[in-house]
Amino acid sequence: MSEAFLGVEQSFTGRRWVARDYDERTALALSQRHTLPDVIARSLSARGIDLETAPAFLQPKLRDLLPDPSRFKDMNKAAVRMAEALQRGEKIAVFGDYDVDGATSAALLLRFGRAVGSELRLYVPDRLREGYGPNAPAMEQLAAEGIKLVICVDCGTTAYEPLAVAKAAGLDVIVIDHHASEPELPPAFAIVNPNRLDEPGDYGYLAAVGVTYLFVVAVNRALRATGWYSVLWVEPDLLAWLDLVALGTVCDVVKLIGLNRAFVAQGLRVMSRKHNAGIAALASVAGHSKHMDTYAAGFILGPRVNAGGRVGEADSGAKLLSTDDPSVALRLAEHLHQLNAERREIEARVLEEAERITITEVLPMAFVAGENWHPGVIGIVASRLKDKFHHPALVIALEGDIGKGSGRSVSGIDLGAMIIAARQAGLLINGGGHKMAAGFTVARDKVNALRDFLATRIGKQLAAEPLKPTLTLDGLLASTSLHADFVRQLSALNPFGTGNPEPRFALSDCRIIRADIVGEKHVSVIVMQGGTRLRGIAFRAMESGLGPALLGQKQNLCCLAGHLRIDEWQGEERVQLYIDDAAAKI
């Protein structure tokens, strides 16, 4: 085991600090070739970037990274079927998921359909009544409405029975998804999914909205080949909808590598223009007037789009993002803003109960079930438990004879595969997901068996390789780096997210000269480091040992770890440290 960074074996949050590995020679070459500070060049090397891949990483271009959609199984078949349906004026439905990835995927198809002359029917299942993904009654309802073609986005890969019902009802179903599949696929007309087992997996990191965009490219190409645009319609500008792709990609927390970097980098530029009425209205009601970045997408827009599916009307997010009417957009945005406030209150209550249960259980994961917990917040609560206890977390909302569950995992534990294994073992009604997140439905009388099944599997993995909570750092900063020009240079590594984390640095020999609780859970500090005065903020610090420690460290030397950002205050730029952790000076 390598030495702890700055000798920090256990921080105030119980984590061991470790330095991110990098190649010294590559970092030096990157620094010289691209005129970058050494610490930024080391951050690039640590992310696997070398001289050959640096240009595409630093300036990702869609034209260089966008693959031919035809490389995906069933893509041509699906695109031709969709194009023919549009040309024949068939009734088409988009069946979406209620999260941001599903909402953006659905909105993208709705906008494309409208641009080429067709109003597509939107159907998003109610989280409480119908649960996740296609269901038999919904398929039968769509068939009764005269729908001929159903496009399932961000769902459907494991919907065996519902898609069999759809086929029997005369529906052609195209699945556009990215979730893990099994060897046998459901009886759909076409299934486009880079995570099918018969795909090479090169693009398995895409969010559903990224796959949907490739589908739209393929359908657009099929329509162009028939002369559709030369006679009746003007070909739409597909680049104008990259804001939706960026929003869904960021909020689904998929890796921001390869094509996803291009989607998000270009999509954020489109998003900043606020041509999408829904995005503009949502930013307005949230009070966000600055440029759009991954933080704004993931923490300001995303939770509000999600709020409808969590505690309100499931289709509100897709409707908001697909409308061109500013008045409709504003009404929906205000409603979602209010729902998001309600969601936070519900989440806080469930989290408090869940934490109490977790503390009393002796398991290799957090596994909690509660009566009448709102299913719309269990995913967020699972994420909070995972962050606090540094182990996989599963949260189940029990009502009647069933429980709806959501799980979040940590690096090294493939939770999606375990949930699929539990379903195959007969412990779940349904379930699926990917390595870091999963959703499932379980019968009440199988909850304990599911807990034991997962505890055994996770326990074996942890016995072989115990989890040690760590905080990974990109380096140590001197006070001479605490200025706006350095932070602007860091922005060359944007967009940040999973697979490309925002650089996190340590500051040593810090003296906290002021520390205050802000709101109920945040801590604001003023720090002196090497003669430089720096402001810092630690969000939700009072939920862990970090907050009390910062308050108790006044005038003591300590080490701080976090991200540097530029804060604009009364027209003046200043650097602020967003504190993730702290430790006593060794």
Side-chain angles (χ1 to χ4, degrees):
M1 182 182 294
S2 60
E3 291 185 6
F5 191 74
L6 295 180
V8 178
E9 291 288 350
Q10 185 163 333
S11 69
F12 294 143
T13 64
R15 290 180 284 186
R16 184 176 191 268
W17 289 8
V18 296
R20 201 181 298 277
D21 291 331
Y22 69 93
D23 183 81
E24 185 67 51
R25 294 179 62 183
T26 299
L28 179 61
L30 288 167
S31 177
Q32 294 173 344
R33 176 76 60 87
H34 296 281
T35 319
L36 294 170
D38 291 343
V39 69
I40 296 178
R42 290 197 292 270
S43 295
L44 280 171
S45 172
R47 285 154 178 76
I49 306 304
D50 55 25
L51 287 176
E52 182 180 349
T53 57
F57 183 89
L58 295 171
Q59 294 182 316
K61 294 181 174 62
L62 200 58
R63 67 170 179 266
D64 297 331
L65 295 168
L66 193 72
D68 183 344
S70 297
R71 76 182 306 283
F72 296 97
K73 304 285 186 184
D74 281 0
M75 180 67 86
N76 288 343
K77 181 181 180 183
V80 169
R81 178 67 183 90
M82 177 74 164
E84 290 175 346
L86 291 167
Q87 291 172 309
R88 291 197 293 251
E90 291 182 19
K91 288 186 176 182
I92 305 170
V94 178
F95 191 104
D97 187 20
Y98 29 65
D99 69 359
V100 183
D101 194 17
T104 51
S105 298
L108 179 57
L109 283 179
L110 293 172
R111 285 185 171 276
F112 177 71
R114 193 179 308 134
V116 298
S118 179
E119 285 291 335
L120 308 187
R121 160 78 154 96
L122 173 65
Y123 192 105
V124 181
D126 181 90
R127 185 189 289 263
L128 295 177
R129 291 186 296 102
E130 300 173 87
Y132 166 78
N135 60 84
M139 295 294 109
E140 291 171 338
Q141 178 184 329
L142 292 173
E145 292 177 12
I147 300 293
K148 299 298 182 186
L149 176 64
V150 177
I151 316 293
C152 291
V153 289
D154 197 26
C155 59
T157 296
T158 57
Y160 298 96
E161 181 186 354
L163 296 194
V165 170
K167 184 175 182 179
L171 292 174
D172 282 345
V173 178
I174 294 173
V175 172
I176 310 293
D177 198 6
H178 72 136
H179 290 100
S181 76
E182 298 184 41
E184 181 184 355
L185 295 171
F189 177 85
I191 297 179
V192 181
N193 183 340
N195 286 305
R196 283 175 50 155
L197 296 183
D198 55 355
E199 287 279 10
D202 307 24
Y203 291 91
Y205 57 82
L206 291 176
V209 71
V211 185
T212 303
Y213 188 81
L214 293 171
F215 175 61
V216 167
V217 170
V219 177
N220 190 63
R221 184 170 62 186
L223 287 173
R224 187 192 307 130
T226 67
W228 183 252
Y229 297 123
S230 62
V231 179
L232 295 172
W233 300 94
V234 175
E235 185 168 344
D237 177 12
L238 305 188
L239 297 179
W241 298 326
L242 284 173
D243 50 1
L244 295 173
V245 183
L247 180 60
T249 298
V250 169
C251 292
D252 214 49
V253 202
V254 291
K255 289 186 177 180
L256 295 192
I257 59 175
L259 179 57
N260 280 349
R261 278 187 63 77
F263 276 150
V264 174
Q266 192 156 338
L268 289 174
R269 289 194 288 270
V270 175
M271 195 185 297
S272 294
R273 300 175 197 140
K274 296 179 182 175
H275 289 169
N276 183 298
I279 289 175
L282 209 55
S284 177
V285 300
H288 184 80
S289 58
K290 301 177 183 178
H291 74 284
M292 293 295 181
D293 56 14
T294 52
Y295 178 83
F299 294 96
I300 295 175
L301 301 182
R304 290 167 172 81
V305 173
N306 250 334
R310 294 192 183 280
V311 296
E313 297 78 20
D315 60 2
S316 297
K319 286 181 176 178
L320 171 74
L321 297 172
S322 60
T323 186
D324 290 319
D325 187 328
S327 62
V328 172
L330 182 59
R331 175 177 57 79
L332 286 168
E334 289 174 341
H335 182 54
L336 286 169
H337 184 66
Q338 178 59 39
L339 288 175
N340 190 53
E342 295 176 16
R343 185 270 307 167
R344 286 198 296 265
E345 294 177 3
I346 296 169
E347 173 198 328
R349 291 196 298 271
V350 175
L351 178 61
E352 184 179 356
E353 292 181 41
E355 284 184 348
R356 271 202 309 268
I357 298 171
T358 301
I359 291 170
T360 63
E361 295 278 1
V362 182
L363 292 169
M365 75 281 188
F367 186 99
V368 294
E371 296 289 346
N372 299 315
W373 286 352
H374 198 297
V377 302
I378 56 176
I380 305 174
V381 171
S383 182
R384 295 273 192 267
L385 293 176
K386 181 263 298 182
D387 291 341
K388 182 167 185 174
F389 297 104
H390 309 296
H391 278 73
L394 297 100
V395 181
I396 301 171
L398 294 169
E399 184 173 3
D401 293 331
I402 67 168
K404 294 178 181 177
S406 185
R408 297 294 183 270
S409 194
V410 295
S411 180
I413 305 291
D414 188 342
L415 187 59
M418 291 187 183
I419 290 297
I420 289 175
R423 179 166 60 80
Q424 292 171 337
L427 297 175
L428 297 175
I429 297 170
N430 58 50
H434 48 78
K435 289 184 178 180
M436 304 304 289
F440 56 91
T441 302
V442 58
R444 179 186 287 268
D445 60 6
K446 294 286 182 68
V447 168
N448 289 341
L450 174 65
R451 179 197 60 200
D452 295 343
F453 178 88
L454 294 173
T456 298
R457 290 190 168 223
I458 294 174
K460 285 180 178 178
Q461 280 197 236
L462 295 183
E465 191 173 348
L467 288 176
K468 172 70 176 177
T470 60
L471 186 74
T472 304
L473 298 162
D474 285 270
L476 178 67
L477 290 184
S479 59
T480 52
S481 295
L482 304 179
H483 55 80
D485 286 341
F486 174 77
V487 180
R488 273 190 283 270
Q489 285 180 300
L490 274 178
S491 67
L493 278 64
N494 263 311
F496 300 126
T498 305
N500 180 39
E502 182 176 359
R504 180 189 290 115
F505 300 106
L507 300 176
S508 185
D509 299 315
C510 297
R511 191 178 302 277
I512 297 176
I513 60 176
R514 181 172 178 176
D516 301 291
I517 296 176
V518 180
E520 295 182 0
K521 300 177 180 179
H522 317 313
V523 174
S524 173
V525 300
I526 297 177
V527 178
M528 290 298 296
Q529 202 263 355
T532 298
R533 185 185 177 96
L534 179 69
R535 292 181 178 271
I537 182 75
F539 291 112
R540 296 201 305 273
M542 298 307 294
E543 295 179 355
S544 69
L546 178 59
L550 291 173
L551 296 172
Q553 285 296 310
K554 293 178 184 177
Q555 301 306 324
N556 294 331
L557 284 178
C558 64
C559 301
L560 300 177
H563 312 283
L564 291 176
R565 294 177 193 158
I566 296 175
D567 182 40
E568 294 181 8
W569 177 255
Q570 296 181 343
E572 184 178 331
E573 288 186 341
R574 62 186 184 186
V575 174
Q576 186 166 12
L577 178 67
Y578 286 62
I579 302 170
D580 292 322
D581 204 357
K585 171 69 176 176
I586 304 300

